Amino acid sequence: MIVLITNNPIRHEFEGITYFEVKGRLVVESFLKDCKANNKWVAKDYEASGLDAYLLKPLLLGLGNKDVQYCIDLCTIDISKWDIPADVKYIGHNLKYDIKLEMVHFNFHHRNIYDTMIAENKIYQGCQTNPNFRFNLEAVTFR
């Protein structure tokens, strides 16, 4: 199930569930606390207007697991006041970018993260000499 959380009154042909900020905040906070209590991993991904964490504007946050995915519209919602537990276990590709973005814009700090890009770099250390060897999400998923 995909859930869009936004304050934008115009939602173009979205087929999932849509919440406005107040209910969306409660649903996401409850989801994260449940994942923490049951020791479950949460996938995380940010979309932003650039690559430099100090100059970009966060646009979208995706959180979820195999059962439910939350897409939070950061253009209309400020998540800096949300109660996001620091010790939820997060997994993602190139999470170092997402974590840097969160620290700069929302002052969030984490304890348990697994970055698949860093893990692949460590596992296949030395393969960088092959110009055809890639660490992007497509290549990691294929391996």
Side-chain angles (χ1 to χ4, degrees):
M1 172 176 62
I2 299 174
V3 178
L4 173 65
I5 301 171
T6 183
N7 277 335
N8 189 346
I10 302 170
R11 294 176 300 283
H12 302 283
E13 301 297 320
F14 182 71
E15 305 226 353
I17 299 171
T18 302
Y19 292 135
F20 285 106
E21 181 178 6
V22 175
K23 183 168 184 182
R25 175 181 181 171
L26 297 174
V27 168
V28 170
E29 288 175 353
S30 172
F31 166 74
L32 291 173
K33 287 177 184 167
D34 178 58
C35 288
K36 176 185 168 188
N38 294 314
N39 204 26
K40 293 181 180 175
W41 288 93
V42 176
K44 174 184 278 195
D45 187 35
Y46 276 92
E47 301 304 328
S49 62
L51 297 176
D52 187 335
Y54 295 98
L55 301 176
L56 61 78
K57 180 179 186 326
L59 303 174
L60 182 78
L61 167 60
L63 292 171
N65 59 20
K66 64 183 173 116
D67 301 318
V68 63
Q69 297 82 41
Y70 297 99
C71 297
I72 303 167
D73 176 10
L74 299 177
C75 295
T76 62
I77 294 177
D78 178 19
I79 63 169
S80 61
K81 302 287 190 266
W82 287 26
D83 183 22
I84 308 282
D87 46 358
V88 172
K89 296 186 334 184
Y90 292 104
I91 187 169
H93 197 72
N94 200 14
L95 264 183
K96 65 181 179 181
Y97 166 80
D98 299 322
I99 299 303
K100 184 190 251 186
L101 184 150
E102 282 187 328
M103 288 171 45
V104 170
H105 290 277
F106 307 117
N107 198 28
F108 291 163
H109 299 279
H110 302 289
R111 293 189 198 121
N112 297 316
I113 64 166
Y114 184 82
D115 189 330
T116 56
M117 187 166 166
I118 292 174
E120 286 287 307
N121 276 302
K122 287 305 203 184
I123 291 169
Y124 293 102
Q125 233 169 359
C127 293
Q128 292 93 338
T129 56
N130 178 351
N132 297 323
F133 199 84
R134 302 280 183 247
F135 292 103
N136 61 17
L137 186 56
E138 179 182 12
V140 170
T141 305
F142 181 73
R143 283 196 288 274

